[in-house]
């Protein structure tokens, strides 16, 4: 059985070489056919011993996403025994589905992808399963009728992240002696239907429900981008005069929102007008934690490439693979941020 799987894999790799050779010949005839930045396709015909991994990334919407992509590209190199076919879906699920189908027709050994939203994957994942290609989910999850359509998921505990943000707000209000005061909160959410937005919202709400004096004025989708974060925060500041707290589900939206707050003449920070709590903990945001305009930043670890490689290594050795694999993270405040900044 094990031998068969291995033979099957060699066979698949052999087919892939032929397919790629064909693709390279075809591409040679196409003008302007060079792959977009960060993509590697039909580069060279891989050596048959390399493990071929097709990765479909959501896009490049955030600094976090760029770090996540880099961690994947760092691990899946020829030196490490892999041939990576990387595709950037530019924020469109239909592009991800197309990428997955192209990986299936190329008979890659493994597919890894970060699903933009949770729904809509049953058909394509069934196609992968029928082709015998194991699928590994990175960062976000899928909601499918049959969980055997993917072998493993690697990512953060988003509900816990949301809860940590709620607890950071509790502590901040305690420091300010405002536990009884009526607190008005706005939430900038990430991409609607994504695991990260769903989990962070759910976790934060579970803490908010325990405080009758916390009033959520509005929760709005700002798509995890700086531009949308700024636009929505400007709108919210025009609509509500009394915003005490901003919960922003990633640092990029926070950067935009801070600009909106600054332009409105208000001051962000525990000693200012609006308490800001963010997620991801990218370097430039951590500098703002130190400087005080962000009160707490809940880390989301983007370095998931190593974990995916470990799942693949285990599968190649026919070892058991855990279905859910959580990455570790922590919360940064003015108290502990210096140490992390010095590490980078
Ligand atoms: O927080 C955000 C990104 O799903 C964890 O997606 C991810 C989120 C991350 O674009 O910056």
């Amino acid at each position: 059985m094990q031998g068969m799987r291995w033979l099957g894999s060699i066979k698949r790799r052999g087919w892939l070489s032929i397919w790629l050779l064909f693709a390279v010949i075809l591409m040679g005839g196409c003008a302007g056919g060079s792959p977009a930045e960060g993509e590697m396709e039909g580069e060279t015909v891989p050596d048959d011993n390399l493990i071929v991994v097709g990765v479909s990334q959501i896009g490049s919407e955030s600094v976090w996403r760029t770090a996540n992509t880099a961690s994947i590209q760092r691990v899946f190199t020829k030196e490490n025994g892999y041939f990576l076919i990387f595709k950037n879906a530019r924020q469109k699920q239909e592009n991800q589905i197309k990428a997955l189908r192209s990986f299936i027709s190329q008979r890659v050994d493994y597919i890894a992808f970060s699903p933009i939203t949770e729904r809509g994957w049953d058909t394509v994942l069934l196609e992968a399963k029928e082709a015998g290609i194991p699928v590994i989910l990175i960062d976000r999850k899928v909601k499918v009728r049959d969980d055997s359509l993917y072998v493993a998921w690697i990512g953060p505990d988003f509900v816990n992240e949301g809860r940590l943000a709620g607890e950071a707000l509790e502590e901040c209000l305690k420091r300010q002696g405002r536990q009884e005061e009526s607190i008005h909160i706005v939430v900038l959410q990430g991409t609607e239907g994504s695991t990260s937005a769903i989990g962070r919202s759910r976790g934060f709400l579970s803490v908010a429900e325990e405080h009758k004096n916390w009033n959520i004025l509005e929760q709005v989708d700002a798509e995890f981008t700086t531009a949308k974060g700024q636009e929505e925060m400007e709108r919210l500041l025009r609509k509500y005069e009394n915003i005490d707290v901003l919960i922003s589900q990633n640092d990029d939206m926070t950067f935009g929102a801070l600009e909106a707050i600054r332009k409105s003449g208000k001051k962000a920070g525990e000693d200012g007008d609006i308490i800001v709590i963010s997620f991801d903990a990218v370097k430039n945001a951590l500098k703002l934690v130190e400087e005080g305009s962000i009160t707490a930043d809940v880390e989301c670890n983007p370095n998931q490439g190593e974990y995916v490689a470990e799942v693949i290594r285990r599968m190649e050795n026919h070892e058991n693979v855990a279905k859910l694999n959580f990455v570790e993270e922590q919360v940064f405040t003015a108290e502990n941020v210096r140490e992390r900044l010095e590490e980078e």
Side-chain angles (χ1 to χ4, degrees), residues 168-187:
L169 179 57
E170 279 176 343
E171 280 161 31
C172 173
L173 294 171
K174 206 193 279 171
R175 283 194 295 274
Q176 294 181 325
R178 296 167 77 193
Q179 293 107 306
E180 305 302 327
E181 205 178 289
S182 179
I183 303 294
H184 304 95
I185 303 170
V186 293
V187 183

Side-chain angles (χ1 to χ4, degrees), residues 249-284:
Q249 290 181 353
N250 86 342
D251 287 336
D252 296 74
M253 295 189 295
T254 304
F255 297 142
L258 287 174
E259 181 59 14
I261 294 172
R262 195 191 57 75
K263 274 169 64 184
S264 77
K266 295 203 166 163
K267 185 172 184 279
E270 197 165 327
D271 61 348
D273 308 298
I274 301 179
I275 298 166
V276 177
I277 296 186
S278 189
F279 293 82
D280 280 359
V282 303
K283 192 167 186 181
N284 282 340

Side-chain angles (χ1 to χ4, degrees), residues 58 61-65 114 139-140 156 158 161 194-197 200 223-224 249-252 279-280 300 304:
I58 294 172
E61 74 282 6
S62 65
V63 177
W64 186 94
R65 185 67 53 200
S114 200
D139 147 38
R140 302 182 187 173
F158 293 117
E161 287 182 359
S194 67
T195 313
S196 26
R200 287 170 185 168
E223 298 168 5
F224 282 132
Q249 290 181 353
N250 86 342
D251 287 336
D252 296 74
F279 293 82
D280 280 359
C300 183
Q304 296 168 6

Side-chain angles (χ1 to χ4, degrees), residues 121-122 125-126 129 135 144 146-151 323:
W121 302 102
D122 291 83
L125 292 189
L126 186 60
K129 191 178 178 189
V135 173
V144 282
D146 171 8
D147 277 348
S148 77
L149 293 180
Y150 61 92
V151 293
K323 191 91 181 178

Side-chain angles (χ1 to χ4, degrees), residues 19-21 23-25 27 33 35 38-46 50 73 76-79 82-86 106:
W19 196 97
L20 280 170
L21 180 62
V24 167
I25 293 168
M27 272 178 60
E39 306 219 346
M40 292 176 227
E41 278 180 78
E43 199 187 49
T44 44
V45 178
L50 296 177
Q73 291 178 333
F76 293 111
T77 60
K78 291 193 184 125
E79 295 69 46
Y82 299 99
F83 184 78
L84 172 66
I85 308 174
F86 181 88
Q106 290 171 78

Side-chain angles (χ1 to χ4, degrees), residues 215-275:
N215 304 308
I216 299 185
L217 298 171
E218 207 168 311
Q219 306 194 69
V220 60
D221 177 2
E223 298 168 5
F224 282 132
T225 67
T226 297
K228 201 73 186 160
Q230 177 165 349
E231 186 187 316
E232 285 300 337
M233 194 63 195
E234 281 171 1
R235 185 185 61 75
L236 291 165
L237 285 161
R238 279 196 300 272
K239 187 164 168 191
Y240 307 99
E241 275 181 10
N242 55 350
I243 301 174
D244 299 301
V245 177
L246 163 66
I247 304 292
S248 167
Q249 290 181 353
N250 86 342
D251 287 336
D252 296 74
M253 295 189 295
T254 304
F255 297 142
L258 287 174
E259 181 59 14
I261 294 172
R262 195 191 57 75
K263 274 169 64 184
S264 77
K266 295 203 166 163
K267 185 172 184 279
E270 197 165 327
D271 61 348
D273 308 298
I274 301 179
I275 298 166

Side-chain angles (χ1 to χ4, degrees), residues 152-165:
W153 164 84
I154 291 138
D157 183 341
F158 293 117
V159 176
N160 188 49
E161 287 182 359
R163 233 181 268 128
L164 291 172

